[in-house]
Amino acid sequence: MRTVAGPEAGALAARARALAVLRIRSTALAVALLPAAAAVVLLAGSATGSIGGSQDEGWTALRWVVTGGALVVLLLAAAVAAVVVRARPAVTPTVPIAEETAPDLYQLVRDLAERLEVPAPSAIALTPDCDSWLEDRTHPAHAQRRERRDRGALAVEEPRPVRGTRGPGAAAGADRVVDRPERRAPRAPVLVIGSPFLWWMRVAELRALLAPVVAGTGPSVHPDIASARRFVRGLDAAVAVAARGGEPSSGPVPALVAAVRRPAFGFVGWVARLLLRGCRDHAAEMERAVAAAASERAQTVDYGLRIVAQEQVGLAYAGWDRLLTRVALPAWRMGRWPSRLDAGVVSALTELSRRDRLAEGFTSRLSERPACDLLEEPGVMDEATSLLAARLFHGGPPEPGPDWSPVDWGAYPDEVVDRKWRQEAARLNRLLDERDDAHEPVGAAPAPAGASGPAPATLARVIDRLTAAPTGPADGTNRSDGSDGGAGGDAPRLAARLSVEVAREEAAASRAHGQGPAAGAEGPAGGSGGDPWIDGFAPAFPLQPPRTGRELLADHVTAMVCCAAVDTAGAAPGLDWLDGPALLVGGRRRADLARPVLSLVEDGDDGPLRAWLGEVGVRPEKPVRLV
């Protein structure tokens, strides 16, 4: 008896689980056809006289009941099957790479597939994330999506299918495809590569990293595994369609439409969820077996480099996360998107390597050929991926415009950092000038009758307001940021007002971008104010949790201090690749401003901040320039 081990064992396990999933599909079909079979038996028996007689009212009634029930079941089963077949499975937003724009990359993947004796992926695409995977895009609806994307903002040519090489072990069950020509072999999936890997990793490291991913194309083109995956993805898409279809409609007869749609889609969703629960464990085990088989097959390709590549994955993820949350997010909030995020991740990771002793050896890798050299025009790909990153992680519009323009790294300090500080300083001073509902200045006595215009925007005014004695009963109550009343002056009220003001401005920006007010609240379904899924996707999770009122106040006070330092002490805005906006004094970054600002905002103690201002040479009584 032959013992099966290695990738063949994993492939056999995956096929066994795929057959279990297909048996569930067959069982569901059999259940749907069972009433029809009973009706056929009764009708045939009645016609031949074997069952009952033509004058037997009992058998006649039974035949009508069974036949009617069979028709109803067939209609319901056809409706569910139509939804499952026609529902578009979720597809990851990516930037496609045409073979003409990356022949070396396609050749690398082909050679890798040939060494692994598996079919090559049908196409290659980039994703602005630190991950790589295979994605099935054979559903007919995906072709319609590609046509819409060609007419959209991402002016990147659609990739052509790549013919894979098929060796003796190209795909398990290939002999079945040859013996049955009427059954067409499934198309190979698309290889999705994380864009930070291309810019940070070297060519050899990228090949080693992609080896287990490309090895997964072998099981992916097996007919049974492909059919099982299509069935599971169709059920998942049907659940999503049923959830959206059951929502209230806004047509001319919403009540009538809702009365019909809600129970129909509810039944479809119930059946799809029931089948998903039945094949969930089998599908999970199938994917686990596919991954194990791919990993076993890739053991023979660059195994030593795979260990080094996995170390680079962790480093790339850390630098990419810092770049997005600390550097890109402030620009996105201002309506600017950095157009070279992938090039920026190289600078961020180089800086991280310089600061971290454990990463000192990684800087020597920079002399080797980077994987982005496999692209003919890496700058074009970087720009398209950067725009997609802004849309995925922040929800920006799909194309540049007057309020959504790109920014280069060289212009980032002046066009993002300085502008951000000026805008936040202007917002803080505007709130200081506002009157509350009782038409009284916030935390201060009424302005003199002879005063004309708002008070000058000075840092001293902000410090005095935050250190003044609290006034008004609202200082300790009715705060929307949920903070306690531990700070002096008007810090609690200013923090609450800043929260409201920033939320209002962000909602207005979302409406201007066509996302609607419900983009972050109602999920994929959207709302009557606008559909956030204009082109099929919207940001799923925010990069950072919502900032509290105290955090917003600290950020605005910091911005006011930085503006005063730039205007009166010769400082300059700068960019730190790991921490984002930075204040440069004498050409060097000052990273010691956070503690004095927090002491002022949280405790009402201006001593540390005034000492810091004296050390830098900032004159708080001088007016600052606002936007």
Side-chain angles (χ1 to χ4, degrees), residues 394-470:
H394 183 68
E399 57 186 15
D403 298 327
W404 188 244
S405 56
V407 59
D408 294 329
W409 291 125
Y412 186 94
D414 293 330
E415 297 187 17
V416 175
V417 179
D418 186 74
R419 184 182 168 194
K420 170 182 179 292
W421 289 343
R422 306 289 177 181
Q423 287 183 348
E424 292 181 348
R427 184 186 294 119
L428 179 60
N429 280 273
R430 184 173 67 252
L431 293 181
L432 291 177
D433 294 332
E434 276 187 356
R435 298 174 181 270
D436 57 10
D437 295 336
H439 302 287
E440 294 292 336
V442 178
S452 61
T458 64
L459 178 59
R461 180 192 181 201
V462 176
I463 296 176
D464 293 341
R465 185 64 60 86
L466 293 176
T467 55

Side-chain angles (χ1 to χ4, degrees), residues 162-242:
V162 181
R163 295 184 180 274
T165 57
R166 298 178 64 89
D175 54 335
R176 298 173 57 185
V177 179
V178 175
D179 295 339
R180 301 175 59 183
E182 74 280 2
R183 187 175 185 181
R184 187 176 58 183
R187 183 185 177 190
V190 175
L191 174 62
V192 182
I193 305 175
S195 61
F197 297 157
L198 276 179
W199 267 258
W200 175 246
M201 288 188 171
R202 309 299 101 179
V203 174
E205 294 171 351
L206 181 66
R207 183 176 59 247
L209 180 69
L210 295 180
V213 183
V214 175
T217 59
S220 296
V221 298
H222 187 274
D224 294 334
I225 296 177
S227 298
R229 283 177 167 174
R230 281 196 303 269
F231 177 60
V232 174
R233 297 181 70 215
L235 291 176
D236 184 70
V239 172
V241 169

Side-chain angles (χ1 to χ4, degrees), residues 54-83:
S54 59
Q55 304 300 324
D56 192 335
E57 296 182 358
W59 284 105
T60 301
L62 179 61
R63 285 194 299 270
W64 280 108
V65 170
V66 173
T67 303
L71 291 176
V72 172
V73 172
L74 286 177
L75 289 176
L76 293 177
V80 173
V83 173

Side-chain angles (χ1 to χ4, degrees), residues 71-380:
L71 291 176
V72 172
V73 172
L74 286 177
L75 289 176
L76 293 177
V80 173
V83 173
V84 172
V85 172
R86 294 176 59 86
R88 185 179 68 186
V91 59
T92 306
T94 55
V95 176
I97 302 178
E99 185 175 359
E100 292 78 4
T101 62
D104 293 341
L105 180 60
Y106 272 81
Q107 188 60 43
L108 181 146
V109 174
R110 283 197 192 98
D111 294 342
L112 187 59
E114 185 175 3
R115 292 178 61 184
L116 294 169
E117 298 182 336
V118 296
S122 60
I124 302 177
L126 289 181
T127 178
D129 201 356
C130 292
D131 199 0
S132 297
W133 65 89
L134 295 172
E135 187 166 286
D136 179 20
R137 297 184 179 179
T138 58
H139 195 277
H142 295 161
Q144 302 174 3
R145 179 183 178 87
R146 286 193 294 268
E147 293 177 1
R148 290 196 302 269
R149 183 172 54 201
D150 291 339
R151 298 191 297 268
L154 293 179
V156 181
E157 188 176 353
E158 185 66 18
R160 295 181 179 179
V162 181
R163 295 184 180 274
T165 57
R166 298 178 64 89
D175 54 335
R176 298 173 57 185
V177 179
V178 175
D179 295 339
R180 301 175 59 183
E182 74 280 2
R183 187 175 185 181
R184 187 176 58 183
R187 183 185 177 190
V190 175
L191 174 62
V192 182
I193 305 175
S195 61
F197 297 157
L198 276 179
W199 267 258
W200 175 246
M201 288 188 171
R202 309 299 101 179
V203 174
E205 294 171 351
L206 181 66
R207 183 176 59 247
L209 180 69
L210 295 180
V213 183
V214 175
T217 59
S220 296
V221 298
H222 187 274
D224 294 334
I225 296 177
S227 298
R229 283 177 167 174
R230 281 196 303 269
F231 177 60
V232 174
R233 297 181 70 215
L235 291 176
D236 184 70
V239 172
V241 169
R244 292 195 298 268
E247 294 177 350
S249 58
S250 56
V253 283
L256 180 60
V257 172
V260 176
R261 288 166 58 94
R262 191 177 295 113
F265 280 103
F267 175 77
V268 171
W270 175 77
V271 173
R273 285 190 295 270
L274 181 65
L275 293 175
L276 271 178
R277 284 194 297 269
C279 60
R280 177 177 54 194
D281 294 337
H282 296 297
E285 291 295 332
M286 178 186 68
E287 297 299 339
R288 204 171 287 121
V290 168
S295 179
E296 285 289 336
R297 184 177 292 274
Q299 294 287 340
T300 59
V301 179
D302 299 332
Y303 181 75
L305 278 175
R306 285 176 61 188
I307 300 175
V308 178
Q310 290 298 327
E311 295 176 353
Q312 299 304 318
V313 169
L315 186 64
Y317 186 87
W320 183 248
D321 181 71
R322 293 288 289 267
L323 184 73
L324 292 182
T325 57
R326 306 292 180 86
V327 179
L329 188 58
W332 293 340
R333 287 171 174 166
M334 296 177 53
R336 308 295 300 273
W337 53 279
S339 59
R340 294 293 185 269
L341 278 179
D342 292 305
V345 77
V346 177
S347 300
L349 292 174
T350 304
E351 178 65 18
L352 182 62
S353 301
R354 185 185 64 82
R355 296 182 187 181
D356 191 351
R357 293 183 178 180
L358 296 177
E360 286 178 355
F362 294 145
T363 55
S364 62
R365 304 167 46 260
L366 301 181
S367 59
E368 303 174 13
R369 185 189 182 194
C372 62
D373 283 355
L374 300 173
L375 305 175
E376 291 291 321
E377 297 180 351
V380 176

